[in-house]
Amino acid sequence: MFFGANASSPEHVGIYTGTVNGVPMMINAPFTGAYTRSDPVSMASNLIGYYHYTL
């Protein structure tokens, strides 16, 4: 998942992990130097888009 003002300047990236109790979740580090953690996708309001890769 890519977050930011527009597609040419993403500011944040998260990995979608599915839903927990109906809440879409992602793994991300919310800022430089932070540990990675599981957060709701809604914690970042500027979703640009996402890419789905299937093996």
Side-chain angles (χ1 to χ4, degrees):
M1 310 177 71
F2 300 93
F3 299 89
N6 58 55
S8 62
S9 59
E11 300 166 0
H12 185 76
V13 176
I15 299 171
Y16 178 74
T17 58
T19 58
V20 176
N21 297 323
V23 177
M25 300 295 288
M26 67 176 169
I27 293 176
N28 81 122
F31 53 88
T32 301
Y35 291 105
T36 56
R37 63 189 199 190
S38 181
D39 287 317
V41 171
S42 62
M43 65 86 52
S45 62
N46 52 354
L47 178 65
I48 295 171
Y50 59 90
Y51 179 78
H52 178 92
Y53 181 79
T54 304
L55 296 174

